[in-house]
Structure formats: C-alpha cells, structure tokens
Amino acid sequence: MDITLSRYQNTSVFESSSLSLTDVKFFQERHLLSASHLLNKRARRAQVSAISCHFVEQGLHPKPKPKPLSNGHDILKKETHVQESRQMKGSSSGLCGQIEKLVLCKRYRDALEMFEILEIECEYDVHVGKSTYDALVDACISLKSIRGVKRVFNFMINSGFEPDLYLKNRMLLMHVKCGMMIDARMLFDEMPERNLVSWNTIIAGLVDSRDYLEAFQLFLTMWEEQSDASSRTFATMMRASAGLEMIFPGQQLHACAIKLGVSQDIFVSCALIDMYSKCGSIEDAQCVFDEMPEKTTVGWNTIIAGYALHGYSEEALDLYYEMQDSGVKMDHFTFSMIVRVCTRLASLEHAKQAHAGLIRHGFGLDIVANTALVDFYSKWGRIDDARNVFDKMPHKNVISWNALIAGYGNHGRGIEALKLFKRMIAENMIPNHVTFLAVLSACSYSGLSDQGWDIFESMGTDFKVKPRAMHYACMIELLGREGLLDEAFSLIQNAPFNPTVNMWAALLTACRVHKNLELGKLAAEKIYGMEPEKLSNYVVLLNIYNSCGKQKEAASVFHTLKKKGLRMLPVCTWIDVKKQQHMFVSGDKKSKSHVEIVKNLKKLMLGIEKHGYVSKKNTLLPDVDEREEQMLMFHSEKLAVSFGLMNTSDSTPLHLVQSHRICDDCHLAVKLMAKLTGRVIVVRDASRFHRFENGKCSCGDYW
C-alpha cells in the first residue's frame, strides 16, 4: 500500500494534471479502498488510522465520520455501508477522470497502470463510462499492448457495460491496430450492427496483415450489403491490388471510384498511382498524376517512387526538379528517395544538392533520410562522409548500422566493419540477417577468415538468426579467396537447402581467380541451367568452354544463344564530370574529343608500363565476348578514365559506373593509373564496388 502510494506521488501525476486538493484527497482515499480489498479488516483499520494521522500532519482534515445513532446497532451498520458505497463511487469516478487526463497528456503507460486499480475494485459498484473506454483504446493502440487490449475488453464485458456502435468500432480498431486479427474478425462477425467505419477498419487490418484475398472477399460482401464505399475504402483496396500485383482488379476499383465520384480524392489518387506503378503500368500512374486537381507532396512522392521502382532514375530525378519548381513543400521522404536515385545513378553532385536541401528544409536529423545518405556515401567512395553523417545522427536504427558496416566492407576495411559490429551489439542494437550479410561480406572482402567463421557460427547460437543462402554465399567466397575450392564445393553440397545461383556464382568467381577450369565449368553449367534466359550466363559458359578447348560445347552454346535471338550488348561506362554525365562505349570513335582521349590514354598506358603493367589478353571468365577482348586498348572504362583525368583537377576523385564486370586487364590498368596520377578512382561494375587508390583496389583483386 505505502509503496504504491509513494510511486504515484513521485511520478508527479498531481503536478502534470493540475489536480486540486480535493483530487489529492481522492487519490489517497482510493488507495485506502484498494488496500482494503486486499488486506483483512484489522490491517485495513491500521492503514486508515495511519493515513488519517498523515492527513492531520499535513494540515488536511479527513471527511468526518458519522456519529453513532442512539436507536440501534443495525441502523449504524446500514448508514456506514451507504457511506462506503458513496466513497467507492466517488473514487472510481475520480480514477476514470485521471485515466482520461493521463491519456490526454500521452502518458499511456501510467493510464494503463491506473486502470489496474479499477480492475482490483471491479467487485464493487464501479461505473466506467464511454469516454474512459475511449481513452483506454488510445492507450492500448499507442503502446501496441496486447495484454492491455485483453484487460480492457474483458473488463468491459464482465462489468455488463453495453457499448454503442461508436465504441464497438473503437474496440474493433484497438484489436486491429495491435495485430490481433483473429480476435478482430470474431468481434466484427459478432457485431449485430455495422457501418462503413466497421467495414473500413477490418478491411484495412486485413490489408495491413497482407491477407489481400480475404480483404477482397470482405469488400465484395460489403458491396453486396451496402452498395457503397468511401474514398478510404477504395484507397485501402488499391493497396490490396498493389500487394497482389494484379492490375485488373485495380482497374475495376478505379472504374467504381469514378462512378461514385471519389476518383479525384487525394488519397484515392495517390493509391491509384502507387497501384499502377507496382503493377507495372507507369504510364497509367502518370495519367492519374496528371489528372490530379491539386498535386500535393504525397502525390509527387508517389509518382517519383513509381519511376524509381521501375528503374527510370533519370525520369525520377527530372520529376524531383519539377516538384521543386512547382513550389510544393518537400518532406524527408522526398529527399530519401532522391538520395537513393542518386545512389543508382552514381550522381554525387545531385546527392550533395539533396543533402543540402534536406538540411535547409529542417530534416537534417531525420533517421530515414540520413540512413539513405550513409548508404550513398558508402557506395560511392566517400566512406568518411558516410561516417560523419552516421555519427551526427541522434537516433540510429538497424538499417543505419547495416549501411555503414556494408560501406566499410565495400572499401576493404574489414577491421573497422568488425569494430562497428561489436559496438552495435554493445549498444543493445539487435542485428538482423542483413547485418550478418554486411559483416560476413566485410570479412570476405578483407580475407578475415577466422573472424568470419566465428560470426557465421554465432548467428544461430547467440543471435537466433538462421543462416540463409546469402550468408552461405559469403562463406563460399571466403573459402574461395583462400583457394580452398574443395571446401567451398563441400559447403554447397552440405547446405540445408538447395544451392542458389549466388552460391554457385561465388564458387565460379573462385574458380576464375584460381584458374580451376573443371570445377568452374561445373559451376557455370549449374548457373546456366538455373537461369537459362540470362544473357551473361551464356557468355560465361561460352568463354569457359573456349578456355578448356571444348569447341563442340562452345558451338552448342553459341547456337542456342543465336537461336534465342540474344546478343551481347556493348560494354558501357558512365562518368560524371562537371555536373554532366558522359557515356563511353568500348571501341566507340564517335566522340568529338576521341582523338584527344586516345592520345591521353596512350600516354597513360606508357606510364603504367613503367609500374609493371603487362596486357592480360587471355581472360578466363569475363562477361564480355571475343570481340571485346580484341580491343583491350579501347575498353570503355579506360576511355572514361582518360576523359575524367583530362577534365578534372588533380585532387578530384573519379566516379564511374560500368554496365558489365570489369575485365582483368582494365582492373590492372585502372589500379596502376590511380597510382601513377595519385587519384582516387571509384568504379561500380556489375559485380561489385572497386575503390582504386595508391595502386590498390578495395576488392583485394577478387571480384
């Protein structure tokens, strides 16, 4: 009793709620009554006596006790019972008021703790009103408290309270928001009366729990019963269509929305844009966006996300600048998307502008946008900038940690990645499967074999994360780096699931580096069989057959390639110079400055020969065809580097994007060009990230 009373006095409930002296007295009397329910009569008298004395000491006078009547003991007993009943009713009424005040002040946990006192007093004539239940619903939803939901709902049922339709809908919402969909559906089915709010609540819950088919069935039932729907209903069902990636039901919903006159509603329009985008029709999404009477921030964000989803990064960037010119307010989601688009485009200049806009618009501390920045800087050679953004974040989630750990791994700084992982654990951040992928990749890239195996084995034992195929692929690569090809092959065979393409690809890379043609042929054939429509698999298999001297098999692959009408596209490289993007194609001589670029390239090639460059003409497993190998001098990455060195200052890093995997010869050449010129050259190819500096590459010559 004393412990409970002191706890509430210390939490400054009286101060924050502006309670009167009478309210204080209610709290004290309420605790007295709570204790009387739990203790025997003798202990209760002792408590009453103690608190009465306490009142006197504080200058507070307790409510006077009724004087004994002279006409008999029975009359005295009856009068005392009436007085206690009145005190109980007053106490419960005061508790309800305090619960509502605490919820209003967003002190949800305190409100639910106070509700426990009502549960203790439930055997008395306790009346809890509609407004109190309404407040308790808010508390349970805010805390996502399943235990709180069960307590509140059971108390209402057991107390005999008859909720109206509004309160029934609130109870339904409470179950839905706390993820109790089975109970929510039972509650909904038992409702004798339903309105549109009831239907919208249960349908939205089904969509949020990804039960899209059930949501459609319920929607059709609602349509049969009511032949009506609100804009919220249509927006919710558009989400269900997007979840199923089925455009036909979405189109039917669109037609119904037009008939009911709600298609121009901002929520319906944005849901339509999202639905058409996710169902593969960006043209229809654009039409809906164009017809919006008022293009809001959410509308712009949705259409930009749609273009980014389909890989139309440049179009997404153009829309971002249109949004900027329109004067519509941008939010943190806008900047987060643009940073991700810049990551894909390798556009450092645009990312810097987005970063500046993020700070200028007051979102400098936003966790989502800053995580996107950490990811961008990590992937494009500016790991120190990524760490700077990370360290300034007041709050970090697991995605933030994952982005920086992966960044250190990509830069070949495995030790820093491991330190960051240990710090993450020390700060009680729970790692997920992406975290382990990042740290295992870091160990693989840096050749940290022992540490990698320790972490791999600790996944299930210490962190209860079951290793997936992606984690096995990292371990296969780790073994491959050390030349342990038999062990890597054994790991594939003993995996607790069917080997994936990535696992065989990791083995194939190891075979290429260590020139194991037989095992490499097996891996290439496995990949070829699993992805028969992927062009690069044909080229890899063709080249390995040629390297093994198996001309008959090579001819068969070539015949299949020709029969399917597939042809190898020219290798392209993009580079940003002075805010402009330039594209180079291997062997292309159409550039206006081609003569100067080649002249400078020949000069560079002579320079790197003094540093030990020798042309590698017999590449084992490149993702390029024979024609590409015949013009090593004019590969697109060499042309792009030459152009970049000619048109930038000596301290400017070069950032390149490569459509294919960089070949052995270009990898060696660019590495020595970086050493010769003292530049940092960053290349993102189809395989991985390469940061060339001082004659070394972050991949450790393993890609």
Side-chain angles (χ1 to χ4, degrees):
M1 165 60 197
D2 294 333
I3 294 174
T4 306
L5 180 59
S6 64
R7 180 184 68 179
Y8 276 95
Q9 289 174 333
N10 291 334
T11 55
S12 68
V13 173
F14 308 130
E15 295 177 6
S16 65
S17 303
S18 302
L19 302 183
S20 64
L21 194 61
T22 305
D23 292 323
V24 176
K25 190 174 180 181
F26 269 132
F27 263 74
Q28 293 166 327
E29 289 178 355
R30 183 252 299 160
H31 284 289
L32 170 61
L33 293 170
S34 300
S36 69
H37 177 70
L38 301 174
L39 305 176
N40 57 38
K41 292 182 179 179
R42 182 176 296 176
R44 180 173 64 187
R45 292 194 189 100
Q47 293 285 357
V48 171
S49 176
I51 293 182
S52 299
C53 295
H54 180 68
F55 282 2
V56 174
E57 291 174 2
Q58 298 297 324
L60 302 175
H61 300 284
K63 189 174 182 178
K65 297 180 179 179
K67 295 180 180 180
L69 297 178
S70 59
N71 58 348
H73 178 72
D74 292 337
I75 298 176
L76 174 61
K77 185 175 180 181
K78 180 178 179 181
E79 191 70 28
T80 303
H81 177 74
V82 170
Q83 181 187 4
E84 289 182 352
S85 177
R86 287 175 180 172
Q87 287 178 341
M88 187 65 66
K89 290 181 179 179
S91 175
S92 63
S93 176
L95 277 175
C96 290
Q98 298 313 312
I99 289 172
E100 293 173 27
K101 288 180 182 179
L102 287 170
V103 171
L104 190 63
C105 297
K106 298 184 178 180
R107 297 175 58 180
Y108 306 116
R109 205 169 296 279
D110 290 340
L112 287 182
E113 287 181 3
M114 194 171 291
F115 176 67
E116 290 184 20
I117 298 169
L118 277 178
E119 292 181 288
I120 294 173
E121 297 176 353
C122 67
E123 69 181 69
Y124 298 100
D125 184 16
V126 177
H127 174 72
V128 179
K130 175 180 175 180
S131 59
T132 305
Y133 282 119
D134 202 18
L136 288 168
V137 167
D138 286 335
C140 292
I141 291 174
S142 299
L143 296 174
K144 295 288 189 293
S145 173
I146 294 176
R147 179 173 177 269
V149 172
K150 291 180 178 179
R151 284 169 44 211
V152 172
F153 185 71
N154 289 337
F155 185 87
M156 184 180 72
I157 298 300
N158 295 333
S159 65
F161 182 84
E162 290 294 335
D164 58 9
L165 182 57
Y166 168 79
L167 197 54
K168 286 180 180 178
N169 284 335
R170 291 284 289 161
M171 288 290 164
L172 179 63
L173 179 68
M174 177 175 70
H175 283 80
V176 166
K177 290 295 185 182
C178 293
M180 303 169 65
M181 285 306 301
I182 296 176
D183 294 331
R185 185 59 190 269
M186 292 176 60
L187 184 61
F188 175 81
D189 291 338
E190 292 171 359
M191 290 175 69
E193 181 187 0
R194 304 168 185 144
N195 60 9
L196 204 53
V197 175
S198 314
W199 289 98
N200 285 341
T201 301
I202 191 67
I203 291 173
L206 290 169
V207 174
D208 289 338
S209 60
R210 299 185 178 184
D211 196 350
Y212 305 121
L213 291 176
E214 184 68 21
F216 266 106
Q217 291 175 359
L218 208 57
F219 171 76
L220 293 174
T221 304
M222 181 198 76
W223 191 261
E224 290 175 359
E225 290 186 12
Q226 299 194 186
S227 298
D228 190 20
S230 66
S231 58
R232 179 186 173 186
T233 315
F234 283 109
T236 302
M237 293 312 300
M238 295 300 174
R239 289 171 48 212
S241 295
L244 291 172
E245 296 184 1
M246 295 176 62
I247 195 169
F248 180 67
Q251 290 172 331
Q252 290 184 311
L253 290 166
H254 191 180
C256 291
I258 292 173
K259 290 179 181 179
L260 292 177
V262 297
S263 62
Q264 298 294 309
D265 180 89
I266 180 63
F267 297 106
V268 175
S269 296
C270 292
L272 280 168
I273 295 170
D274 182 63
M275 183 272 295
Y276 281 126
S277 297
K278 290 179 178 177
C279 291
S281 181
I282 193 66
E283 296 83 4
D284 289 333
Q286 182 67 57
C287 288
V288 174
F289 177 75
D290 292 338
E291 292 174 1
M292 288 177 67
E294 180 185 359
K295 295 177 174 60
T296 62
T297 301
V298 178
W300 281 102
N301 287 348
T302 308
I303 190 65
I304 291 172
Y307 275 99
L309 177 68
H310 287 277
Y312 298 120
S313 301
E314 294 179 356
E315 289 81 356
L317 199 58
D318 290 339
L319 280 170
Y320 163 70
Y321 286 115
E322 284 184 34
M323 179 182 181
Q324 202 172 48
D325 294 338
S326 71
V328 175
K329 184 179 180 181
M330 299 182 180
D331 61 11
H332 68 284
F333 185 67
T334 312
F335 294 109
S336 301
M337 282 193 304
I338 295 306
V339 172
R340 291 189 179 96
V341 168
C342 292
T343 304
R344 189 179 298 169
L345 290 173
S347 178
L348 181 61
E349 190 60 38
H350 291 303
K352 284 182 177 179
Q353 292 178 13
H355 191 175
L358 186 75
I359 297 171
R360 190 168 57 250
H361 286 78
F363 301 110
L365 300 179
D366 180 76
I367 187 170
V368 177
N370 278 287
T371 298
L373 282 169
V374 171
D375 182 60
F376 171 81
Y377 286 131
S378 296
K379 287 180 176 175
W380 292 108
R382 304 178 74 93
I383 190 65
D384 293 333
D385 289 337
R387 184 58 184 260
N388 186 42
V389 173
F390 179 85
D391 288 340
K392 289 182 179 179
M393 293 172 66
H395 303 287
K396 306 174 183 69
N397 58 20
V398 66
I399 304 173
S400 313
W401 289 92
N402 292 349
L404 190 58
I405 291 172
Y408 277 122
N410 284 334
H411 284 73
R413 295 165 64 172
I415 299 298
E416 287 92 333
L418 285 174
K419 288 181 180 178
L420 197 64
F421 175 71
K422 292 177 181 178
R423 178 185 156 192
M424 175 184 180
I425 302 302
E427 294 187 14
N428 297 319
M429 184 65 67
I430 300 174
N432 58 17
H433 69 279
V434 180
T435 313
F436 287 106
L437 177 63
V439 72
L440 289 175
S441 296
C443 292
S444 174
Y445 291 172
S446 300
L448 303 174
S449 178
D450 294 339
Q451 296 91 326
W453 278 108
D454 289 342
I455 292 171
F456 181 72
E457 291 171 355
S458 71
M459 287 178 63
T461 56
D462 298 342
F463 301 99
K464 309 305 178 186
V465 177
K466 188 176 181 180
R468 304 185 183 185
M470 60 182 74
H471 305 112
Y472 272 81
C474 287
M475 302 315 296
I476 292 165
E477 184 171 317
L478 191 62
L479 290 169
R481 276 181 177 267
E482 298 181 349
L484 303 174
L485 301 184
D486 291 337
E487 289 82 349
F489 182 57
S490 177
L491 187 61
I492 291 177
Q493 290 181 311
N494 295 326
F497 40 74
N498 292 328
T500 63
V501 170
N502 288 337
M503 293 168 66
W504 287 113
L507 180 62
L508 179 61
T509 300
C511 293
R512 177 181 66 85
V513 173
H514 297 288
K515 295 182 171 43
N516 188 324
L517 294 177
E518 287 303 317
L519 191 55
K521 181 171 71 70
L522 173 64
E525 288 172 345
K526 291 288 186 181
I527 296 171
Y528 173 77
M530 297 170 74
E531 292 183 342
E533 300 301 322
K534 192 171 182 180
L535 179 62
S536 61
N537 293 337
Y538 288 89
V539 179
V540 169
L541 191 58
L542 180 64
N543 285 326
I544 198 169
Y545 281 145
N546 284 328
S547 300
C548 295
K550 296 182 179 294
Q551 300 302 322
K552 185 177 179 180
E553 289 84 350
S556 176
V557 174
F558 183 79
H559 177 73
T560 305
L561 189 66
K562 189 175 180 180
K563 184 178 179 181
K564 289 180 175 287
L566 300 174
R567 64 183 184 87
M568 194 68 182
L569 297 174
V571 180
C572 300
T573 303
W574 294 266
I575 183 172
D576 274 354
V577 173
K578 297 177 181 179
K579 302 182 182 181
Q580 293 291 325
Q581 192 172 78
H582 302 267
M583 184 181 75
F584 293 88
V585 179
S586 295
D588 186 15
K589 299 181 180 180
K590 296 179 181 179
S591 174
K592 294 180 180 179
S593 56
H594 176 75
V595 176
E596 291 79 5
I597 294 172
V598 172
K599 183 179 179 180
N600 186 59
L601 179 57
K602 289 180 178 179
K603 182 180 177 182
L604 287 169
M605 299 302 287
L606 289 173
I608 63 176
E609 284 179 2
K610 298 177 181 178
H611 287 79
Y613 169 77
V614 177
S615 177
K616 294 188 176 183
K617 294 183 179 180
N618 295 319
T619 305
L620 180 59
L621 293 174
D623 288 348
V624 295
D625 58 18
E626 187 178 351
R627 184 177 61 86
E628 295 289 343
E629 287 196 22
Q630 293 175 354
M631 47 185 182
L632 290 174
M633 176 69 176
F634 305 106
H635 275 191
S636 58
E637 49 267 63
K638 291 190 180 81
L639 296 173
V641 170
S642 176
F643 176 80
L645 293 173
M646 288 169 55
N647 293 278
T648 56
S649 63
D650 293 341
S651 59
T652 304
L654 302 183
H655 294 83
L656 287 71
V657 181
Q658 175 91 353
S659 64
H660 294 58
R661 184 176 58 199
I662 188 171
C663 72
D664 288 351
D665 183 74
C666 287
H667 190 274
L668 175 61
V670 175
K671 184 166 61 172
L672 294 176
M673 286 177 187
K675 181 178 181 180
L676 178 68
T677 60
R679 296 285 195 100
V680 173
I681 303 174
V682 177
V683 179
R684 183 80 187 187
D685 72 352
S687 173
R688 66 183 48 173
F689 171 94
H690 304 267
R691 177 189 170 93
F692 299 96
E693 186 176 11
N694 296 326
K696 295 181 180 180
C697 180
S698 60
C699 76
D701 297 338
Y702 189 95
W703 74 101

